[in-house]
Amino acid sequence: MTPSIADAIISCDNVTVNYGAFAAVRNIFLDIPRHKVTAFIGPSGCGKSTVLRCFNRMNDLIESFSMKGKVLFHGQDLYGPRVDPVEVRRRIGMVFQKPNPFPKTIYENIAFGARINGFKGDMDELVETSLRRAAVWDECKDKLQESGLSLSGGQQQRLCIARAIAVEPEVILMDEPCSALDPISTLKVEETLHALKKNFTIVIVTHNMQQAVRVSDMTAFYNAVDMEGSDGMVGYLAEYNETREIFNNPKSKDTEEYVTGRFG
Amino acid sequence: MFTHKKRPWTERLVDHTFIRMTAVLASVVSLTVFGIFFTVGFQAVFQGDLSSLLPWHPDSIWQGIAAWNDEETFGVRWGAIPHFGLGFLADSSWNPVRNDYGALTPIYGTLMTSALALLLAVPLGVGTAIFLTEDFLPQKLRTTIGFMVELLAAIPSVVLGLWAMAMLNGFLAAFTPLHTHLGWLPVFGTEPGGPNLAMASLILVVMLLPIITAVSRDSLNQVPPELRQGAYAVGATRWTSIFQVLIPAAVSGIVGGAMLALGRALGETMAVTMIIGNSTNLSASWFSPSSTIASLLANQFGEADDIQVSALYYAALVLMILTFLVNICAQVIVKRLALKYD
Amino acid sequence: MTSNATNPMATTCYPPAASGLTYNPYAPRNVWNRAMNLLAALFATIAVLPLVVVTLYVLYKGGGAITPAIFTELPPAPGLSEPMGMGNAIIGTAMVTGGAALVAIPVGVGGGIYLAEVARKGWFAQSIRFGVNVLAGVPSIICGLFIYALVVNTRILWGESFSALAGSLALAVLMLPTIVKTTDEGLKLVPQELRMGALGIGASRFVTITRVVLPAAVSPIATGVVLGIARAAGETAPLIFTALFSPFWPDWASGWGLLAPTATLSVQIYNFGIMPFEPQVQLAWAASFILVVMILAANLLARWLAHFSAS
Ligand SMILES: Nc1ncnc2c1ncn2[C@@H]1O[C@H](COP(=O)(O)OP(=O)(O)OP(=O)(O)O)[C@@H](O)[C@H]1O
Ligand SMILES: [Mg+2]
């Protein structure tokens, strides 16, 4: 079911994730194409965030987390014994569902990441370009020295996007970045995604079908089933294809029901 | 049908009385605070006991004030504040023989022991709090260690003092190299030969650690985990996140906790009294015996009379004002710097 | 960045990733991180160490001095080594601390009820909250001086000066803010629905608070009270000028023993600990042992109470 992807930047090779004894997702095989936008869709609790967090080892922060299988980045196993998770996260950035600006000034929010990544250059310029690319420059150019928390929720989220792109990762992971935004801000973020696609690989989790159609090139549909020998639902990758195909010509019935809104 | 459709007057009476009573009980707290300030202030201004406030008392201060000029018969027995004025704070002689009192030595001792203790206890306490909020150890073990540090706060100060007295020689041996090698520094200028100010500071560190650790741990735990994730996501290491994101986010609690600990250190009595040497001679050296206001009170109040009692109350007033200011600062800081994050 | 060549828009100013994703143990940031890890572990060890050392030392020195006579005899006169007991101080601590609890619990719980249930806002409640915070910060020796001036020096209590009752009052002043605070906070944890439910069926405020709200919050309040009492039992400074000390059994003729100078464990540790006589010092350690065991037990009890309420 997985289309052959020539230029894969991240690949999952039979990934299974457990939280303690609880199996969250099972047997994921997935190739993320370079310089494209890949959308993850699926019902709540089916493991989209879990898979996404595997890509930059954010799951390391969860004590009960354990993983089997391989996640390859440029062919190198991210969970290999000698891999530095900090190095991984410098090359694979992340934007979270809830805006989480640092309790610092707007300027510092951007400069912080740049500085710890050894940025050498004009910081003012970097702050401005990053904020522009995240479509939030106009709203905060006059208050760069105010706290990032003084912005509205939607502006905070775009600040977080700016923060992520300022460190120039190769991949940006976005976990429902627009769930706290109004339609206007959502459109602005989507425009940002289009622009960013040229330079970055983007993986985005979304519950908004139109958004998936609008922004993504590829779509992965996850689902959860009651599996033998485990308590609760276990997530799996149900279908993965070009977005056009998923929405117009889905192979499985579940996918069709989900994308047309008749799911469950 | 319902006999109680209209509430009986007894029920209403009970209700009202109860509500009134809680208000009265609550005001006991404020009255006590007021009473403490008033009493200590009174005793610092007048000699003689509180009952001389009563107009019909044979030594009533009102009669004394009425007969202002007739000092021979009815003169008010003025206390330390009228006698020594503000010079009390800058005078280092405490001389019961000549009845000449100044509180500079104990004030200096109070401030110096507290400052030294805080200087050591803050890094130790915050470091411990960080250790307990990071994932170095399994959660169970961390909770146990946290509980043990809290238990330390429960050990009575007098027991710590007794222990410190038993350990004195060991600590003196540890201090001696500082004196032999760095003796040219005034603070290490005297030979450590017995109870001293440095020892008192170390015991204070032990008493402050649990407070600072507990408060810092709570404020670090309250930092939303999303902030750490955000820092990690831009490639921060553990300690970069801690120093640049987590601690700044928790700073109000940490500073508030340190101020709270400072308030405690200023007024800590028993352990300090047992180990500081209770000397009223001013010395720059941390290895000389010294005293704090609290230790002076514990040590001398029992045997004092007349103007010396009043001088001790004056010193107590100074201590109260100091701790009061520190506690107010703590509250203001917690409110001001509190991170508004939801 | 490795992708720089295919990345025309980025104005890359970042140093190239030297060794791919591999962990470089010699990179400055990794060295710094490991050093800080060690330092934090070291600090935590230093913080726990005093508890372990003090507890073990007290258990060792004090535990050895515990004999049955400790509980039934009086302390020896200075210079003698017989009898080796401190029954009077044990009774005294129970009397003084118990008296303090009897005074502070009703006042403190009543004040807490006022703050949490009657007047959450308003200048009066605010000023009382402020008072609670100030009182919590008052050094304990000043509580002693206050009661000395108010009660001991004026001989207001039936003409007596130093007395167990005066000691109780001093400790009560010390416990009061803790009890008000824990009551206030415990009551605030009670869900609003419970109050509405009771008031909704026509219960008076008195009945709502005493029959519904207070029972629901009894466990956090009990926890705070137990900890407050344990702390007060170990306090010395407020007692040295109020309850004073006595080498004798309580004078039951004088207000059931409440109106005479009374020995307590904590003051005994202070008085005997600084004496040059070995039997006295040994009794100081025995008293420390009893206090520490009692306080650790109270803390475990409080924890159990808190746990009990959680489940
Ligand atoms: N930290 C955790 N500890 C234990 N279980 C977890 C944790 N995080 C997620 N899970 C479980 O793993 C499963 C997958 O969660 P995940 O957050 O990946 O779902 P999701 O697809 O992102 O859902 P949503 O659309 O609601 O964000 C869920 O059943 C969830 O309960
Ligand atoms: Mg999710």
Side-chain angles (χ1 to χ4, degrees):
Chain A
M1 64 186 174
T2 304
S4 61
I5 285 170
D7 194 12
I9 187 164
I10 295 178
S11 348
C12 292
D13 184 6
N14 199 7
V15 168
T16 295
V17 175
N18 287 307
Y19 291 114
F22 168 74
V25 292
R26 265 207 196 168
N27 308 103
I28 306 283
F29 292 88
L30 178 72
D31 284 340
I32 305 287
R34 187 184 170 94
H35 290 183
K36 293 244 159 70
V37 177
T38 305
F40 284 6
I41 59 171
S44 201
C46 64
K48 306 178 295 292
S49 305
T50 300
V51 174
L52 198 70
R53 285 199 302 258
C54 283
F55 291 173
N56 71 340
R57 297 198 50 169
M58 208 45 104
N59 277 328
D60 290 15
L61 292 179
I62 299 169
E63 274 183 53
S64 60
F65 164 81
S66 68
M67 196 197 87
K68 284 197 277 287
K70 276 184 180 161
V71 182
L72 302 173
F73 176 62
H74 289 303
Q76 195 177 350
D77 185 4
L78 288 183
Y79 284 81
R82 300 187 50 236
V83 168
D84 184 0
V86 174
E87 207 67 68
V88 171
R89 297 187 197 112
R90 288 185 177 187
R91 297 172 64 178
I92 307 178
M94 188 161 197
V95 177
F96 301 84
Q97 176 167 2
K98 220 171 97 191
N100 57 352
F102 303 127
K104 299 170 178 282
T105 62
I106 293 174
Y107 186 95
E108 272 303 310
N109 260 281
I110 310 284
F112 172 69
R115 216 176 284 129
I116 59 179
N117 281 280
F119 177 77
K120 295 200 184 56
D122 187 346
M123 190 64 85
D124 293 352
E125 192 189 314
L126 176 78
V127 170
E128 181 174 342
T129 25
S130 309
L131 289 171
R132 273 189 198 286
R133 288 161 91 181
V136 69
W137 171 250
D138 291 333
E139 282 137 296
C140 55
K141 62 169 182 258
D142 296 326
K143 42 190 215 174
L144 289 178
Q145 293 310 323
E146 277 173 43
S147 164
L149 296 168
S150 69
L151 296 171
S152 77
Q155 292 166 342
Q156 286 185 12
Q157 187 64 306
R158 278 174 281 145
L159 175 63
C160 291
I161 294 175
R163 178 177 81 186
I165 57 190
V167 301
E168 289 181 11
E170 289 169 57
V171 182
I172 301 180
L173 311 173
M174 297 183 161
D175 194 350
E176 300 180 45
C178 301
S179 66
L181 302 194
D182 68 300
I184 313 239
S185 310
T186 303
L187 280 181
K188 280 191 181 157
V189 170
E190 287 179 11
E191 280 165 30
T192 310
L193 292 188
H194 272 296
L196 293 177
K197 211 162 87 174
K198 293 191 207 85
N199 307 310
F200 303 97
T201 305
I202 294 170
V203 185
I204 179 171
V205 176
T206 177
H207 280 292
N208 180 335
M209 296 305 121
Q210 287 81 29
Q211 183 171 57
V213 173
R214 283 194 299 264
V215 302
S216 72
D217 306 296
M218 302 289 294
T219 297
F221 171 63
Y222 290 81
N223 203 352
V225 286
D226 244 331
M227 271 191 204
E228 291 282 315
S230 79
D231 46 303
M233 308 283 270
V234 182
Y236 67 101
L237 179 59
E239 189 168 348
Y240 179 45
N241 212 330
E242 286 181 20
T243 302
R244 221 176 332 113
E245 290 292 308
I246 291 275
F247 281 87
N248 298 326
N249 191 13
K251 302 260 182 313
S252 97
K253 192 144 174 53
D254 284 345
T255 315
E256 183 180 348
E257 285 183 351
Y258 188 79
V259 299
T260 52
R262 279 182 280 120
F263 192 81
Chain B
M1 207 86 215
F2 291 98
T3 51
H4 287 188
K5 205 63 199 171
K6 184 152 176 19
R7 293 173 68 194
W9 64 273
T10 45
E11 193 188 310
R12 257 180 302 165
L13 185 68
V14 168
D15 222 22
H16 276 122
T17 318
F18 176 70
I19 298 296
R20 293 273 155 70
M21 209 172 68
T22 61
V24 169
L25 292 177
S27 21
V28 169
V29 176
S30 297
L31 271 179
T32 310
V33 172
F34 176 78
I36 293 176
F37 271 94
F38 178 81
T39 307
V40 174
F42 175 86
Q43 298 282 14
V45 174
F46 298 102
Q47 293 182 45
D49 62 69
L50 273 180
S51 53
S52 57
L53 272 172
L54 302 171
W56 57 84
H57 192 272
D59 288 330
S60 169
I61 54 165
W62 307 113
Q63 286 175 31
I65 290 171
W68 188 268
N69 295 319
D70 195 1
E71 282 210 11
E72 291 296 304
T73 45
F74 287 122
V76 178
R77 295 171 65 212
W78 292 110
I81 291 183
H83 257 94
F84 306 115
L86 283 178
F88 184 75
L89 308 178
D91 178 4
S92 70
S93 71
W94 185 274
N95 193 331
V97 180
R98 282 190 297 131
N99 261 343
D100 179 23
Y101 300 104
L104 182 61
T105 310
I107 291 175
Y108 166 80
T110 305
L111 297 178
M112 187 47 94
T113 47
S114 304
L116 280 180
L118 211 60
L119 217 62
L120 289 173
V122 166
L124 278 173
V126 176
T128 308
I130 291 172
F131 189 77
L132 295 177
T133 48
E134 292 292 315
D135 54 359
F136 294 124
L137 296 176
Q139 180 68 48
K140 270 248 173 67
L141 207 57
R142 276 185 273 155
T143 319
T144 313
I145 296 180
F147 181 52
M148 283 172 76
V149 176
E150 274 165 35
L151 274 186
L152 186 57
I155 294 197
S157 131
V158 73
V159 173
L160 281 179
L162 188 67
W163 175 74
M165 283 169 66
M167 294 286 132
L168 185 62
N169 287 332
F171 279 99
L172 290 179
F175 290 155
T176 307
L178 279 176
H179 170 66
T180 43
H181 297 294
L182 296 170
W184 48 272
L185 280 174
V187 292
F188 300 136
T190 56
E191 178 107 26
N196 58 47
L197 186 144
M199 206 47 218
S201 304
L202 286 186
I203 267 302
L204 280 179
V205 171
V206 174
M207 314 192 77
L208 303 192
L209 260 178
I211 307 175
I212 297 179
T213 306
V215 178
S216 307
R217 188 183 56 166
D218 288 349
S219 10
L220 283 171
N221 271 334
Q222 271 164 21
V223 175
E226 287 85 12
L227 278 189
R228 177 197 295 273
Q229 292 167 10
Y232 277 29
V234 292
T237 58
R238 179 195 296 274
W239 285 95
T240 314
S241 320
I242 291 174
F243 280 122
Q244 306 225 22
V245 176
L246 302 183
I247 291 186
V251 76
S252 75
I254 293 174
V255 175
M259 296 295 279
L260 207 69
L262 177 60
R264 188 67 66 78
L266 293 171
E268 180 46 53
T269 312
M270 292 328 290
V272 172
T273 308
M274 293 165 90
I275 204 68
I276 200 170
N278 296 306
S279 156
T280 47
N281 298 329
L282 193 60
S283 162
S285 170
W286 294 341
F287 295 149
S288 315
S290 181
S291 59
T292 66
I293 297 178
S295 79
L296 183 78
L297 293 172
N299 206 42
Q300 301 206 348
F301 192 82
E303 277 90 52
D305 41 31
D306 301 331
I307 189 82
Q308 191 180 357
V309 173
S310 190
L312 287 170
Y313 272 108
Y314 191 177
L317 189 66
V318 173
L319 174 61
M320 275 178 71
I321 292 172
L322 271 179
T323 48
F324 177 74
L325 291 180
V326 165
N327 283 314
I328 298 290
C329 281
Q331 288 180 44
V332 171
I333 285 171
V334 171
K335 284 228 178 75
R336 269 286 178 77
L337 296 181
L339 175 67
K340 287 181 191 66
Y341 210 94
D342 50 9
Chain C
M1 301 297 300
T2 48
S3 61
N4 214 6
T6 58
N7 198 351
M9 200 174 128
T11 52
T12 295
C13 297
Y14 291 98
S19 52
L21 303 176
T22 323
Y23 181 80
N24 173 5
Y26 304 109
R29 70 171 146 88
N30 289 333
V31 174
W32 159 251
N33 258 280
R34 284 199 308 276
M36 288 307 293
N37 287 351
L38 270 181
L39 199 65
L42 182 72
F43 282 7
T45 316
I46 294 179
V48 177
L49 206 62
L51 174 81
V52 178
V53 174
V54 173
T55 316
L56 289 182
Y57 201 82
V58 168
L59 295 185
Y60 162 71
K61 285 275 280 198
I66 298 288
T67 58
I70 287 282
F71 300 94
T72 55
E73 300 285 344
L74 288 175
L80 303 184
S81 57
E82 281 291 314
M84 281 292 275
M86 47 187 209
N88 58 338
I90 295 174
I91 295 180
T93 289
M95 268 165 46
V96 173
T97 319
L102 284 184
V103 176
I105 291 174
V107 178
V109 172
I113 289 177
Y114 179 78
L115 289 181
E117 300 293 320
V118 179
R120 288 198 179 192
K121 297 208 182 74
W123 68 269
F124 188 63
Q126 266 341 94
S127 72
I128 288 180
R129 283 219 171 80
F130 180 73
V132 172
N133 283 332
V134 174
L135 194 55
V138 170
S140 60
I141 184 130
I142 295 205
C143 295
L145 289 193
F146 167 58
I147 295 299
Y148 174 86
L150 192 69
V151 172
V152 177
N153 204 18
T154 57
R155 295 177 170 263
I156 209 169
L157 296 174
W158 295 277
E160 299 296 337
S161 59
F162 299 104
S163 65
L165 197 52
S168 293
L169 288 176
L171 288 189
V173 171
L174 203 82
M175 286 164 69
L176 194 55
T178 324
I179 297 182
V180 175
K181 265 191 198 166
T182 44
T183 308
D184 184 14
E185 278 155 23
L187 290 175
K188 279 193 187 135
L189 293 178
V190 176
Q192 197 62 27
E193 291 75 33
L194 215 55
R195 280 180 202 100
M196 303 227 182
L199 292 171
I201 56 163
S204 66
R205 279 176 106 180
F206 173 66
V207 171
T208 309
I209 293 170
T210 53
R211 299 274 178 78
V212 179
V213 182
L214 215 46
V218 78
S219 146
I221 296 176
T223 309
V225 168
V226 168
L227 288 179
I229 294 177
R231 208 188 125 212
E235 277 290 344
T236 313
L239 298 180
I240 45 183
F241 313 125
T242 51
L244 206 69
F245 190 69
S246 151
F248 310 114
W249 293 104
D251 178 7
W252 301 115
S254 170
W256 302 294
L258 286 176
L259 292 178
T262 301
T264 49
L265 289 169
S266 53
V267 176
Q268 174 176 305
I269 299 173
Y270 175 54
N271 282 356
F272 285 5
I274 56 179
M275 276 192 188
F277 307 113
E278 187 48 37
Q280 262 76 7
V281 173
Q282 222 174 338
L283 282 179
W285 282 108
S288 301
F289 177 86
I290 295 179
L291 266 188
V292 166
V293 167
M294 204 179 71
I295 285 168
L296 294 188
N299 271 272
L300 291 174
L301 171 70
R303 227 178 137 72
W304 179 78
L305 276 175
H307 188 75
F308 183 70
S309 71
S311 60

